[in-house]
Amino acid sequence: ADDKAGVFAILNAYDALVDLYMDQRKWQDAVDVCERVAELKGPDEIENAQPFFLERLVLAKARQGKTDEALGIAAGLIRLSEG
């Protein structure tokens, strides 16, 4: 139970950090955090949260004006959800 609580605490910290960067319009910092979470390996809780962070990555990339990258990531998410 403590391990799961620790994983959720880490995910909540990353989520809050992305919120902070998005609120401050620090798009690249938000992208960096989302990419870091997407690369994490670990328990199911982390892997289950990764699509959420990828959605936020799409938003941050779009806000940066990198719409082609954002659309590519979004297409990948759609393929994952269909598979």
Side-chain angles (χ1 to χ4, degrees):
D2 286 340
D3 289 343
K4 282 190 178 188
V7 169
F8 285 122
I10 289 168
L11 290 171
N12 284 334
Y14 278 127
D15 185 43
L17 194 55
V18 172
D19 280 344
L20 176 69
Y21 288 145
M22 295 290 271
D23 288 347
Q24 294 179 347
R25 297 176 178 259
K26 293 183 176 181
W27 312 128
Q28 187 57 51
D29 291 331
V31 165
D32 293 343
V33 173
C34 291
E35 288 177 342
R36 190 175 317 139
V37 174
E39 293 171 1
L40 289 176
K41 304 285 186 231
D44 289 342
E45 292 82 8
I46 288 176
E47 292 188 17
N48 292 339
Q50 286 171 332
F52 171 74
F53 282 93
L54 289 173
E55 288 176 15
R56 302 191 70 194
L57 176 62
V58 168
L59 180 60
K61 290 265 187 192
R63 296 265 167 90
Q64 280 182 312
K66 297 179 179 179
T67 52
D68 288 341
E69 287 181 44
L71 289 171
I73 296 165
L77 279 169
I78 292 168
R79 281 191 299 276
L80 279 176
S81 69
E82 291 173 346

